[in-house]
Amino acid sequence: YLSKLQFFNERDGLVSAYDRRGTTRIPDYYHTTDGGKTWPIKLSMPSSNWMYIHHVNKDIAYGYGSGSQTNDSIIFVTTNGGSSWKLSKKEQPGDSTYFFPVSGFYGRTRDTMFLMSRKGLLRTTDMGASWTLLTDVMRYAESLANPGVLCMDMRQKEYCWAITAHSFIRSGDNGQSWQHALVLPDSISEYLGFSIPSPRTIYIFAHAKYLPEPIGFRELLYKSTDNGNTWTSHLVEPFRCYGCAVFPSGRGFGDRNNDVSGDYYYRTDDEWRTSSISYYNQSLRSTITGYFFLDENTGWISGENYILHTSNGGVDWVKTIPVFAESPSITSNYPQPAKSGSIVTTEINSRTGSARLELYDVLGRLQQVLFEGEINDGRRAVRWSSEGAPGVYVLLLRDGESTASRTLVVR
């Protein structure tokens, strides 16, 4: 099941692929170097209950997850494309500073990153070495349990932006304090999302209240070309644009799911005043799961088991079925948590035949090599005796250039 797409140029990109293992949906991340035709590189993940990963570029990435048997909130950072990860922040539910992430990472520079939590906005300015909790944004939150931040954009030098269902706000001091950039008009019931395609141009999609017939329920598109100081608006196509994008030329793309006749992906050239079908998927079993555009001409769409690519603004789409790397896996470690030892079961690509199983602490320091050598039948169980202090450790299995990881908790 393919999900989040991200591309850095026309050839290098990432995709998350979900697989059901027991009752937990665990995403794997793969890297392509041919525009999405094949995905030969599987990135190593530092936690078995991984939730989200965000790449600043091909090398620097942030991720958050939780302990495999705990509710700890953990942030990791990598500077080598995912080959290894370092613990950036960890809190337990009983800690006074415990945070619980409620949305993804939002990057401003290679060193500055934001993460929305139930207690406020977490910010680092030193690539994860330390984090500061900023609480002023909570004045606009829907509730403390669920702040309801739909999305943020921190890429501008002048402002940081954020939107909830009823507030569109901006910060001029790197997220420290926030003010309304557009007060919700009486004609609007909720905001749906926003995009900033150029330095001073902002688009906001909003759901209008019921209008007299023959209009009925419609969406509005708000536009500012002076960084949010003044706004214009117009009615757009009558569907909810949660996944819509607009570029300065007026071209845009967006998806709409129809449970009866399949999935539609739309294109506009006049800021959604009108639109046409850019791609139609007749299969009811393979819905559109994500999209990513480098510019108004070059982009990708992911379905449950396919990827589409366009280089002419959605006029034509090339469909490919991704070929993923055959990667090693750590299928289990029992018991978990461990007291005096654990049995670790591994699987590797049988064509390779050799592997190395390592144990790291959460700071990325190698503690022990548990096994290194040939695995003739592709599987091996390794018995490990605990010699370290109680805490969270990471098992890393290497099979040639591919890796797999799993959390091991010692009490």
Side-chain angles (χ1 to χ4, degrees):
Y1 178 90
L2 306 182
S3 183
K4 182 175 181 287
L5 276 172
Q6 184 179 358
F7 277 81
F8 309 109
N9 51 53
E10 293 186 3
R11 300 187 64 83
D12 293 291
L14 296 166
V15 69
S16 62
Y18 283 87
D19 186 17
R20 291 191 178 275
R21 304 171 188 174
T23 59
T24 304
R25 296 183 67 198
I26 305 172
D28 293 321
Y29 284 82
Y30 295 87
H31 179 205
T32 182
T33 58
D34 57 11
K37 297 178 183 178
T38 61
W39 302 81
I41 304 172
K42 182 180 179 180
L43 304 182
S44 66
M45 295 293 106
S47 172
S48 60
N49 283 352
W50 199 244
M51 297 170 62
Y52 188 85
I53 183 174
H54 173 80
H55 274 256
V56 179
N57 51 44
K58 290 192 296 184
D59 298 319
I60 301 173
Y62 294 75
Y64 68 74
S66 61
S68 59
Q69 299 293 323
T70 68
N71 291 321
D72 297 349
S73 287
I74 306 172
I75 299 177
F76 289 93
V77 179
T78 180
T79 58
N80 53 20
S83 297
S84 61
W85 296 78
K86 292 183 179 180
L87 178 67
S88 175
K89 183 176 177 64
K90 176 185 175 183
E91 301 289 349
Q92 297 178 339
D95 296 338
S96 60
T97 56
Y98 175 69
F99 67 96
F100 186 87
V102 294
S103 64
F105 289 98
Y106 303 94
R108 196 166 200 191
T109 65
R110 67 188 302 271
D111 299 315
T112 302
M113 184 65 61
F114 297 84
L115 176 64
M116 190 66 201
S117 76
R118 287 184 178 178
K119 289 195 172 182
L121 190 63
L122 290 169
R123 180 188 68 191
T124 180
T125 57
D126 50 16
M127 204 180 298
S130 61
W131 293 83
T132 302
L133 181 63
L134 309 174
T135 59
D136 187 65
V137 70
M138 300 302 289
R139 293 192 293 122
Y140 304 93
E142 305 301 308
S143 70
L144 292 178
N146 181 12
V149 174
L150 299 178
C151 58
M152 295 184 173
D153 195 309
M154 308 297 193
R155 296 171 295 173
Q156 281 191 348
K157 293 183 179 179
E158 187 174 359
Y159 291 113
C160 299
W161 303 87
I163 193 170
T164 70
H166 300 97
S167 300
F168 184 63
I169 55 179
R170 68 183 179 186
S171 170
D173 54 8
N174 208 23
Q176 192 75 35
S177 60
W178 296 82
Q179 301 80 35
H180 275 292
L182 177 62
V183 178
L184 190 72
D186 292 336
S187 59
I188 298 299
S189 61
E190 63 178 336
Y191 292 125
L192 301 177
F194 76 104
S195 63
I196 305 179
S198 63
R200 298 182 64 81
T201 301
I202 306 170
Y203 291 99
I204 302 177
F205 288 95
H207 186 56
K209 295 179 180 177
Y210 185 81
L211 300 174
E213 295 291 351
I215 297 176
F217 289 104
R218 294 291 295 271
E219 272 70 58
L220 286 172
L221 180 65
Y222 282 86
K223 178 182 179 180
S224 174
T225 57
D226 58 6
N227 230 5
N229 293 315
T230 59
W231 297 87
T232 59
S233 65
H234 62 264
L235 287 171
V236 302
E237 287 284 324
F239 61 93
R240 298 170 74 84
C241 295
Y242 284 110
C244 293
V246 191
F247 293 93
S249 66
R251 179 175 295 174
F253 302 91
D255 64 279
R256 174 171 60 173
N257 176 258
N258 186 314
D259 293 334
V260 176
S261 56
D263 293 320
Y264 294 89
Y265 205 74
Y266 289 85
R267 163 183 159 155
T268 181
D269 286 308
D270 57 5
E271 296 179 338
W272 293 108
R273 291 177 174 87
T274 62
S275 66
S276 59
I277 297 175
S278 177
Y279 175 76
Y280 171 48
N281 175 33
Q282 294 181 337
S283 173
L284 298 179
R285 297 182 179 180
S286 186
T287 59
I288 293 172
T289 59
Y291 70 90
F292 188 91
F293 278 84
L294 288 175
D295 52 48
E296 63 181 36
N297 293 312
T298 306
W300 294 261
I301 295 175
S302 64
E304 290 188 5
N305 61 357
Y306 65 85
I307 289 179
L308 301 169
H309 172 61
T310 182
S311 57
N312 57 9
V315 176
D316 301 297
W317 294 91
V318 177
K319 184 176 181 179
T320 60
I321 305 298
V323 178
F324 291 106
E326 292 187 44
S327 302
S329 63
I330 302 174
T331 56
S332 67
N333 53 291
Y334 179 85
Q336 175 81 313
K339 292 184 179 180
S340 59
S342 179
I343 298 177
V344 183
T345 304
T346 64
E347 290 186 2
I348 70 164
N349 182 356
S350 60
R351 294 179 301 177
T352 303
S354 61
R356 176 183 169 98
L357 182 62
E358 302 167 337
L359 182 71
Y360 289 84
D361 63 16
V362 291
L363 297 179
R365 298 174 298 196
L366 178 65
Q367 300 296 301
Q368 188 178 352
V369 177
L370 306 186
F371 173 81
E372 184 173 17
E374 298 293 323
I375 301 181
N376 296 325
D377 61 357
R379 293 187 179 184
R380 185 180 180 92
V382 179
R383 185 178 296 274
W384 169 74
S385 297
S386 174
E387 298 177 356
V392 178
Y393 295 84
V394 177
L395 293 161
L396 185 64
L397 177 63
R398 301 182 185 273
D399 170 17
E401 295 182 354
S402 300
T403 61
S405 63
R406 190 179 179 96
T407 301
L408 188 154
V409 179
V410 178
R411 286 185 175 177

